[in-house]
C-alpha cells in the first residue's frame, strides 16, 4: 500500500505544473507567485505614486525657491541701490534707467512675439473653420444635387406612369365605345326583326277550325 501511495503521489506531481523557483532557489507555489505579483504591482503603484508626489513636491519647492529668490533679489537690489544712491546717485540713476529701458525693450519684444503667435494661431483656427465650413457646404451641395436628381427621376417616372394611365384610360374608353356601338347595332337589328323591315319579319298564318 505504501508503494502504491508513493506511485500515486509521484503521478500527481508529474501531472501538476512545476512550481516556480525564486532567486534564492526556494520553491514558490502558484498562489505565492500570484501574491508576489500582486504585491509587486502594488509596490510599483506605490512607487509611481511616491515618484509623482516627489515630482509635484519638487515643482512646488522649486516655485517657492524661485519666488523667494526673486523676492530676495528684489530686496537685495533695492538695498544695494539705496546704498549706491548715497555714493553715486547720478550714476546709479542712469544705470537703473538703462536697465529699465532694456527690460522694457525685452518685455515689448516678448509681448510682440506673443501677440504674433496668438495672431498666427487665430489665423490657423480661422483657416481650419473655413475649411470645415467649405467641406460642410460641399457636402450639403452634394446631398442637394443628389436629392434633386432623385426628385427628377421620381418626377420622370411619375410622368411615365401618368402617360401609361392615360393610355390605359383611352383604350378602355375605346373599348367602351366599341361595345356601345356594337350594342346599338344589335339593338337596331333586333328592332328591324321586330318591325319586319327588310322582309325579315316572319309570316303569320291563321286558320279556323270547325267545332263538332
Amino acid at each position: 500500500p505504501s508503494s502504491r501511495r508513493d506511485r500515486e503521489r509521484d503521478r500527481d506531481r508529474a501531472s501538476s505544473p512545476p512550481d516556480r523557483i525564486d532567486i534564492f532557489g526556494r520553491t514558490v507555489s502558484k498562489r505565492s507567485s500570484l501574491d508576489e505579483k500582486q504585491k509587486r504591482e502594488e509596490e510599483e503603484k506605490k512607487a509611481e505614486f511616491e515618484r509623482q508626489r516627489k515630482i509635484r513636491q519638487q515643482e512646488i519647492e522649486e516655485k517657492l525657491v524661485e519666488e523667494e529668490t526673486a523676492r530676495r533679489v528684489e530686496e537685495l537690489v533695492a538695498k544695494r541701490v539705496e546704498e549706491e544712491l548715497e555714493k553715486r546717485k547720478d550714476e546709479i540713476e542712469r544705470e537703473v534707467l538703462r536697465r529699465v529701458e532694456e527690460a522694457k525693450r525685452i518685455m515689448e519684444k516678448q509681448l510682440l512675439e506673443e501677440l504674433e503667435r496668438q495672431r498666427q494661431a487665430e489665423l490657423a483656427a480661422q483657416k481650419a473653420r473655413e475649411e470645415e465650413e467649405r467641406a460642410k457646404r460641399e457636402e450639403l451641395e452634394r446631398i442637394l444635387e443628389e436629392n434633386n436628381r432623385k426628385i427628377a427621376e421620381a418626377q420622370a417616372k411619375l410622368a411615365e406612369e401618368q402617360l401609361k394611365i392615360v393610355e390605359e384610360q383611352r383604350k378602355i374608353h375605346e373599348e367602351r365605345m366599341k361595345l356601345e356601338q356594337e350594342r346599338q347595332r344589335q339593338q337596331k337589328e333586333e328592332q328591324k326583326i321586330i318591325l319586319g323591315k327588310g322582309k325579315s319579319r316572319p309570316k303569320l298564318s291563321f286558320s279556323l277550325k270547325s267545332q263538332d
Side-chain angles (χ1 to χ4, degrees):
S2 60
S3 178
R4 185 175 60 187
R5 285 196 299 269
D6 293 338
R7 287 196 301 271
E8 291 176 353
R9 185 167 57 253
D10 293 338
R11 186 171 60 252
D12 294 337
R13 288 178 179 176
S15 61
S16 61
D19 294 333
R20 192 171 60 85
I21 306 301
D22 61 7
I23 60 175
F24 299 106
R26 296 175 299 185
T27 301
V28 182
S29 63
K30 283 187 175 181
R31 182 62 180 175
S32 299
S33 178
L34 292 175
D35 292 342
E36 286 182 3
K37 183 179 179 182
Q38 185 176 5
K39 184 178 180 181
R40 186 169 59 254
E41 290 178 353
E42 291 177 355
E43 290 177 353
E44 290 175 356
K45 289 180 181 179
K46 289 180 180 179
E48 178 63 18
F49 178 79
E50 182 64 20
R51 189 178 69 82
Q52 293 293 334
R53 187 189 66 79
K54 288 182 178 180
I55 291 173
R56 290 193 296 270
Q57 183 67 26
Q58 185 178 359
E59 291 175 352
I60 293 171
E61 290 176 355
E62 289 176 355
K63 185 176 180 181
L64 291 175
V65 169
E66 290 177 0
E67 292 176 353
E68 182 64 21
T69 301
R71 186 184 65 80
R72 292 186 180 184
V73 168
E74 289 179 0
E75 292 179 353
L76 182 60
V77 170
K79 185 177 180 181
R80 292 290 178 85
V81 169
E82 187 178 356
E83 292 175 353
E84 292 295 329
L85 278 175
E86 297 297 329
K87 299 177 182 179
R88 294 173 290 127
K89 184 176 181 181
D90 295 337
E91 183 181 352
I92 293 299
E93 285 180 354
R94 286 193 299 271
E95 181 65 18
V96 169
L97 289 174
R98 186 188 68 79
R99 293 185 179 182
V100 169
E101 290 297 326
E102 183 180 359
K104 184 187 293 185
R105 286 194 300 271
I106 293 173
M107 291 179 65
E108 288 176 352
K109 182 180 179 182
Q110 292 176 349
L111 181 59
L112 289 174
E113 291 176 352
E114 180 64 24
L115 291 175
E116 180 64 18
R117 285 194 295 270
Q118 291 180 0
R119 189 178 70 83
Q120 292 296 332
E122 290 176 357
L123 288 175
Q126 183 179 358
K127 185 177 180 180
R129 287 194 298 270
E130 291 175 354
E131 184 67 20
E132 184 179 359
E133 290 176 357
R134 184 187 64 79
K136 289 181 179 179
R137 185 170 58 253
E138 290 178 354
E139 180 66 16
L140 289 175
E141 290 175 355
R142 186 189 65 78
I143 294 173
L144 182 60
E145 183 178 355
E146 181 68 15
N147 290 337
N148 290 335
R149 185 185 64 79
K150 290 180 179 179
I151 291 172
E153 290 179 355
Q155 289 176 345
K157 187 175 181 180
L158 180 61
E160 185 179 354
E161 293 294 331
Q162 289 177 345
L163 287 175
K164 288 181 180 180
I165 292 172
V166 170
E167 183 65 20
E168 291 294 331
Q169 289 177 347
R170 186 185 64 78
K171 290 180 180 180
I172 292 172
H173 179 70
E174 290 179 355
E175 292 294 330
R176 287 179 178 176
M177 293 296 294
K178 288 180 181 179
L179 291 174
E180 180 64 22
Q181 290 175 359
E182 180 66 20
R183 187 186 64 79
Q184 291 179 359
R185 188 185 64 77
Q186 291 180 357
Q187 187 176 7
K188 288 179 181 180
E189 291 293 330
E190 292 175 355
Q191 288 177 354
K192 286 180 181 181
I193 293 172
I194 294 172
L195 297 175
K197 291 182 179 181
K199 297 181 180 181
S200 60
R201 183 177 180 183
K203 294 182 180 181
L204 300 176
S205 59
F206 299 91
S207 62
L208 296 177
K209 293 182 179 181
S210 59
Q211 292 179 356
D212 294 340

